[in-house]
Amino acid sequence: MELIPIYIIAIPILTAIIVYISKSKLVNYSVFISQTTLTYLVINYYGFLSVESVHILQIGGWHQNIGIALRNDLLSFLFVSLSIFLWWVVLIYDWRQRKNDSVFLFFLLFLQGVFLGLIQSNDIFSFFVFIEIATVISSILIIFKKDGFSLKAGLYYLLFNSVGILLYLIGLIIVYKTTGTLNMIAIREALEIIKGEGFIVVAYIFFMVSMGVKSAFFPVYTWLPRAHGAAPNSISALLSGLLVKSGLYGFIRLSEMFNLHDFTVFFMTLGFVTTILGIIFAISQNDIKQMLGFSTITHVGIILIGISGFEETMYNGGIIHILNHALVKFSLFMAAGIVIKEYKSSKISEIRGVFKRLPVTSFFFIIGMLVIIGSPFTTIQMSKNMIEGGFRGNHIAVIMHNVINIGSIVIYIKMSKIFFGYGKRVKKKFLLENISLALVIVVIILTGVYFSWQSNSLDMKNLRTSNIGFAINLLKFSINFIFAYAIHYFFVSKDSKIIKNIRRFDISFQNANILLVIFIFLMMMYSIILN
Amino acid sequence: MEITIVLGFFIIFLSIYGLCVSKNIIKSIIFLNILQGSIILLFLDLVNFKNAKVPILPGEINMMVDPLPQALMITTIVIGASVTSLLLMMSIKLFHHYGTINWKELMETE
């Protein structure tokens, strides 16, 4: 029971190696054995963790300040169980196509082991190692099709993320030099005294910028839409659902470690800008996967507003939004993947009549869309309301919030064009894919039911105050929807010149690096002005 | 402030400048490696002091250099080597596909 954190890192990696070495079709089925074992271990571990609430495992019995440690609390447990579930879904989704492809399975399972390690690591250096290995493996998975477009995207992704993660190392140097340890808890204790010093703020800035690169904040988002557009369908789902969240998870852990509250307003503004920019770019795209990628940037912005929030409700809302967005975006990418596979094109203008051709898939697709635009009684709406509730009547923030809602509705109104039109029904082609899709949708609905039950029984105060009667929410949503439809009808559907120009707007690798430098510079200026 | 620390920071800025202006993918990869090397140099130099001894030889403990950064930096070098090899492999494949490794020409192709 004590060693479960190590087992859930080691089992997928060992299975991956066995699959890769044996190269036999039968052995490939062992991935399901590994998944079953992991599920069993994690369910057992929950009983253990719910008693202790925090479990720290010092590997090798070394002293806290020099040894490697793994830590699990309820937040990391949420991520662990989410990732194991989503890997189940990916394996079922891809099984028909990849069951003989032991190389793909090797990288997929290795990535799972690394990701589980990343979530549980309690010292900043092993966090660096895990996040870098995860970047390398995910870039291999992005270029898996080996065509020119995905190679370009993969190179851009790996190069830019490596530059970002090296900045993390500069921060690590400063922290190690001042505190003499790498353990997150020990650093937090040591930094209590010297929190406001200039060089600690510099270290904080470097850490946060590298996490910003990993999770695609405003000026350094450029790798994300490329990578999402080029990767295989299930890998785009994984990237958007989990790997982008690894940066946000690092953001949460490092903010906990530094415990600095100076940058709250800065990150909130950054979150708003990220969200608005994601909406503008997503509306202008003509490719389903690119649109979903930019929509991910939008939601990263919303989560950033939540988790950098100064209030408990906003913070909780941000964390719940991570969970909700991971599940919903997963289902959307998978449904879009089925559509793209059937039509052999990802352009919205070329796909028509999905509802008649793939009725089951489009049923799930529509449910996913309804959830992600934040329609009433769904999970996304609850977490968005929790984040909005934290502002407590700050008018600018509330107006911005409604703008964000309208924008995300416009994106999915544009995407819903693919359902209409004539098509011929295809029979029983995507059975496994639809099963995995159904699995995700069921979990989304279950979490929705769970949260709404929680909001009535436990004291999630703001959830209830912002839900003053479901009628008000319904009214708000329908007003937003009418606005969004009008915007779509008058501006977006015409495909005007401005939208075409925004679509062509592209940032080269050199300019992305300049933006990275500007990002660092902005944070430095902000901290100087503040003092 | 010692000269090596100043030099380390100087090379960091130089390599970031190089990443901002280099037009060729191979040059970008080289500048990434220089950035990494300068960070490693900086870290190893910051824990060093005068008359420091190697921690594996017998002697007084107070005169020994802290071995942890060296272990960390060896890991970083290994990761950096794997990243570099993967990047070079990708650029070879890109050259086979498009016949160029210039950023601008690559981004114009569809």
Side-chain angles (χ1 to χ4, degrees), chain A residues 21-132:
Chain A
I21 291 173
S22 68
K23 282 210 170 51
S24 107
K25 287 176 193 173
L26 212 61
V27 178
N28 286 354
Y29 282 91
S30 63
V31 295
F32 291 110
I33 299 172
S34 140
Q35 280 289 317
T36 318
T37 325
L38 283 183
T39 319
Y40 174 74
L41 284 176
V42 164
I43 290 168
N44 271 340
Y45 190 56
Y46 180 68
F48 178 69
L49 198 69
S50 57
V51 178
E52 296 210 5
S53 86
V54 179
H55 176 219
I56 296 173
L57 178 67
Q58 289 288 341
I59 294 171
W62 293 95
H63 185 260
Q64 181 187 334
N65 286 1
I66 49 174
I68 294 174
L70 297 176
R71 178 177 56 161
N72 271 311
D73 50 14
L74 286 176
L75 176 64
S76 60
F77 185 79
L78 177 79
F79 270 86
V80 166
S81 39
L82 181 70
S83 62
I84 288 172
F85 170 68
L86 291 183
W87 250 276
W88 266 114
V89 173
V90 168
L91 280 171
I92 296 170
Y93 181 82
D94 260 356
W95 191 246
R96 196 166 54 80
Q97 203 186 348
R98 309 275 190 194
K99 63 182 164 192
N100 298 331
D101 195 346
S102 45
V103 180
F104 184 84
L105 291 174
F106 168 74
F107 285 120
L108 197 62
L109 281 206
F110 209 106
L111 184 61
Q112 185 187 17
V114 170
F115 190 79
L116 290 173
L118 187 154
I119 289 161
Q120 300 179 72
S121 62
N122 192 31
D123 57 308
I124 47 181
F125 190 75
S126 54
F127 188 82
F128 163 78
V129 172
F130 280 127
I131 211 166
E132 186 74 4

Side-chain angles (χ1 to χ4, degrees), chain A residues 191-207:
Chain A
L191 288 183
E192 272 309 309
I193 316 156
I194 46 166
K195 226 164 38 178
E197 296 278 342
F199 50 90
I200 295 298
V201 175
V202 172
Y204 178 78
I205 288 168
F206 278 118
F207 275 126

Side-chain angles (χ1 to χ4, degrees), chain A residues 424-494:
Chain A
K424 212 174 171 189
R425 183 164 181 188
V426 192
K427 274 186 184 159
K428 274 199 177 178
K429 211 174 164 189
F430 298 107
L431 183 65
L432 278 179
E433 283 89 336
N434 281 331
I435 288 173
S436 58
L437 198 52
L439 216 63
V440 183
I441 294 290
V442 166
V443 170
I444 291 169
I445 292 169
L446 283 182
T447 46
V449 171
Y450 176 74
F451 283 131
S452 53
W453 173 71
Q454 287 270 304
S455 69
N456 288 329
S457 64
L458 289 173
D459 73 332
M460 281 179 157
K461 278 173 272 163
N462 283 73
L463 195 58
R464 211 189 294 167
T465 47
S466 58
N467 279 10
I468 316 167
F470 285 115
I472 291 177
N473 266 327
L474 202 62
L475 191 72
K476 258 191 198 170
F477 177 73
S478 28
I479 291 169
N480 281 349
F481 196 85
I482 291 163
F483 261 112
Y485 195 81
I487 291 171
H488 178 261
Y489 187 78
F490 287 114
F491 299 104
V492 181
S493 60
K494 303 268 162 60

Side-chain angles (χ1 to χ4, degrees), chain A residues 125 132 146 152 176-177 510, chain B residues 20 22 46 66 79 109:
Chain A
F125 190 75
E132 186 74 4
K146 294 199 186 89
K152 268 194 292 187
Y176 184 76
K177 180 71 182 161
Q510 292 86 353
Chain B
C20 292
S22 56
L46 272 172
D66 184 5
I79 292 170
T109 54

Side-chain angles (χ1 to χ4, degrees), chain A residues 189 201 245 374 412 449 525:
Chain A
E189 283 162 10
V201 175
K245 268 67 174 187
Y412 290 97
V449 171
M525 287 307 287

Side-chain angles (χ1 to χ4, degrees), chain B residues 6-92:
Chain B
V6 178
L7 204 65
F9 273 107
F10 177 70
I11 303 173
I12 287 174
F13 288 124
L14 201 69
S15 51
I16 288 174
Y17 171 75
L19 283 166
C20 292
V21 295
S22 56
K23 294 191 179 89
N24 189 308
I25 288 179
I26 300 292
K27 278 185 189 167
S28 295
I29 298 170
I30 291 171
F31 277 115
L32 181 74
N33 274 285
I34 295 174
L35 178 62
Q36 196 197 0
S38 57
I39 290 169
I40 291 167
L41 173 74
L42 195 69
F43 198 8
L44 292 184
D45 201 71
L46 272 172
V47 292
N48 198 9
F49 52 88
K50 218 174 181 186
N51 298 328
K53 286 233 166 60
V54 188
I56 52 170
L57 298 176
E60 213 182 319
I61 293 176
N62 291 337
M63 290 307 289
M64 283 175 187
V65 88
D66 184 5
L68 191 61
Q70 301 169 17
L72 303 184
M73 288 305 108
I74 286 172
T75 319
T76 313
I77 291 168
V78 172
I79 292 170
S82 69
V83 169
T84 310
S85 57
L86 186 58
L87 283 170
L88 288 174
M89 186 278 282
M90 282 182 195
S91 43
I92 291 168

